[in-house]
């Protein structure tokens, strides 16, 4: 586990904080050119303005932060993260080296089931500490907002326990804020088949989750071998009826028709989607569904490397995220950026757009404030990078590119 010491500047939140002497400012606001402004004025938890000169503030009571000519980019949004689980699955790498696929390993009782067992055996205190340490690591790598899925409980009792833990993490201060997703439909335990578990979800688990008020979204692993199109549709429609936003895992290993269901249901985001055919991608786009690519997964699985050229050529909007889970062990958005910039020729700007503006579309804040952008009125979430060049955000995969972070108005420095 990582222990990262955070140092908070003791600034009362009613005061202005002015981040000045910016080397390059990449706001991701389409209306502003890259280097507009030398300073960001923050008031309370919001960006008040972006200015070229701080003269008028110099004699005020404002707290001045000299960023030393460093670059600033928006805080990253991790729009797909399986945050809370215990144990690990590094033993499975050997099976992969012997030629076994993710599907084979799951069939042998490994995969998600191995993690469900270790998670159920852990105490609430352990899971809370694990979640907190992972959030700190995500923040250290520039993530200021994160979607966190349950899905390693797989019974009403254990799924609610995980949602409760995420809820406790939500109230921690000085950590990324969280969008909480219930993913009871992630796999089945040996006492069930998919049909009987779907019935249990619909009659018992989902009603209890809705009663708890702990989930913002519902997600289903819709893939041949896991939840069928019909089962996914039943769970998602009932979840929407109960007021939840919808997300899906689709077409991760093969085109299983999940993308089409995503478009039909107009879900917020259809993730993985590496095997979704082009006509379905276009239908998804027309239905307003965000495609959420997760290149960390084929990287760790050793699966065929995705190609984003056709998707870019069709101007299909997509986000990217970590998919942090025992089989994709990274909480670093800059690492994901590095993968696609170095291996796919995606530009640092386009990759940054995926983890800020596009991620904000699929993963909005519950207070309605804009995020993933540096502009007047948006939440004051941004990263001060170690370099003066904003492109560095995705160029240092073995260490965090982030020097310090403004998190909801608080300047957080790392030791
Ligand atoms: O998004 N594919 C389904 N769920 C996760 C993996 C979960 C696991 O292997 O533990 C994913 O990759
Ligand atoms: Fe996932």
């Amino acid at each position: 586990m990582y222990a990262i010491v955070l140092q908070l500047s003791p600034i009362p939140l009613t005061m202005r904080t002015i981040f000045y002497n910016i080397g390059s400012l990449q706001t991701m606001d389409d209306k502003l050119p890259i280097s507009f402004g030398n300073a960001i004025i923050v008031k309370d938890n919001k960006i008040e303005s972006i200015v070229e000169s701080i003269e008028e503030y110099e004699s005020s009571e404002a707290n001045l932060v000299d960023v030393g000519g460093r670059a600033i980019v928006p805080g990253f949004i991790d729009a797909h993260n399986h945050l809370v689980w215990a144990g690990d699955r590094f033993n499975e790498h050997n099976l992969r080296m012997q030629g076994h696929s993710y599907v084979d390993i799951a069939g042998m009782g490994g995969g998600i089931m191995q993690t469900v067992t270790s998670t159920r055996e852990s105490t609430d205190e352990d899971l809370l500490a694990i979640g907190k340490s992972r959030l700190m690591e995500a923040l250290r790598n520039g993530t200021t907002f994160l979607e966190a899925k349950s899905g390693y409980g797989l019974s009403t009792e254990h799924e609610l326990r995980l949602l409760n833990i995420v809820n406790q993490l939500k109230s921690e201060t000085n950590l990324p804020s969280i969008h909480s997703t219930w993913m009871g439909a992630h796999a089945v335990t040996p006492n069930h088949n998919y049909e009987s578990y779907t019935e249990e979800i619909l009659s018992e688990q989902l009603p209890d989750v809705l009663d708890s008020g702990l989930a913002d979204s519902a997600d289903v692993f819709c893939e041949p071998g896991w939840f069928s199109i019909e089962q996914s549709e039943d769970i998602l429609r009932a979840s929407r009826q109960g007021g939840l936003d919808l997300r899906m895992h689709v077409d991760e290993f093969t085109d299983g028709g999940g993308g089409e269901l995503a478009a039909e249901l107009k879900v917020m985001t259809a993730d993985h989607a590496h095997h979704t055919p082009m006509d379905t991608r276009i239908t998804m786009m027309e239905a307003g569904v965000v495609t959420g690519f997760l290149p960390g997964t084929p990287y760790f699985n050793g699966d065929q490397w995705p190609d984003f050229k056709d998707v870019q050529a069709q101007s299909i909007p997509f986000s990217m995220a970590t998919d942090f889970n025992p089989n994709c062990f990274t909480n670093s958005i800059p690492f994901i950026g590095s993968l696609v910039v170095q291996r796919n020729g995606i530009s640092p700007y386009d990759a940054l757009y995926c983890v800020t503006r596009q991620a904000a579309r699929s993963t909005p804040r519950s207070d309605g404030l804009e995020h993933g952008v540096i502009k007047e009125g948006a939440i004051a979430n941004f990263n001060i990078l170690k370099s003066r060049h904003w492109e560095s955000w995705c160029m240092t995969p073995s260490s965090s590119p982030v020097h310090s972070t403004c998190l909801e108005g608080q300047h957080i420095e790392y030791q």
Side-chain angles (χ1 to χ4, degrees), residues 46-234:
K46 287 189 249 173
I47 294 169
E48 188 176 55
S49 55
I50 300 165
V51 296
E52 285 187 76
S53 158
I54 59 162
E55 228 169 276
E56 66 172 295
Y57 295 95
E58 268 165 353
S59 56
S60 73
E61 291 222 314
N63 175 52
L64 293 173
V65 177
D66 181 354
V67 305
R70 296 183 173 87
I72 291 188
V73 296
F76 309 134
I77 300 165
D78 190 353
H80 185 132
N81 188 305
H82 302 256
L83 185 70
V84 182
W85 44 268
D88 69 60
R89 304 221 299 268
F90 297 120
N91 56 321
E92 291 179 355
H93 183 72
N94 197 30
L95 294 171
R96 278 198 293 278
M97 293 298 284
Q98 290 164 18
H100 295 291
S101 66
Y102 182 90
V103 177
D104 296 341
I105 295 169
M108 296 172 192
I112 294 172
M113 262 325 293
Q114 197 190 144
T115 305
V116 169
T117 304
S118 45
T119 304
R120 285 184 174 189
E121 283 167 358
S122 297
T123 64
D124 289 7
E125 291 68 35
D126 285 345
L127 291 172
L128 230 128
I130 288 170
K132 198 168 162 183
S133 137
R134 289 176 184 160
L135 285 172
M136 285 168 97
E137 194 187 354
L139 176 65
R140 183 67 194 86
N141 283 284
T143 295
T144 50
F145 194 89
L146 180 146
E147 185 255 5
K149 301 176 197 296
S150 68
Y152 292 104
L154 303 191
S155 70
T156 305
E157 177 198 346
H158 289 280
E159 283 296 310
L160 281 170
R161 183 166 89 107
L162 294 179
L163 288 172
N164 259 304
I165 285 161
V166 169
N167 193 47
Q168 287 177 59
L169 292 168
K170 266 188 176 181
S171 58
E172 293 275 345
T173 50
N174 304 314
L175 287 177
S177 292
I178 297 176
H179 176 104
S180 178
T181 297
W182 162 67
M183 199 178 176
H186 198 193
V188 286
T189 47
N191 59 320
H192 269 301
N193 57 41
Y194 278 90
E195 211 173 312
S196 66
Y197 184 48
T198 301
E199 277 167 25
E200 186 179 299
I201 285 179
L202 292 171
S203 63
E204 181 193 301
Q205 193 178 128
L206 175 58
D208 282 8
V209 167
L210 294 174
D211 278 351
S212 77
L214 292 172
D216 302 308
S217 285
D219 196 343
V220 175
F221 188 12
C222 177
E223 183 85 19
W226 280 267
F227 289 84
S228 69
I229 297 290
E230 294 72 25
Q231 290 157 351
S232 302
E233 179 168 359
D234 288 348

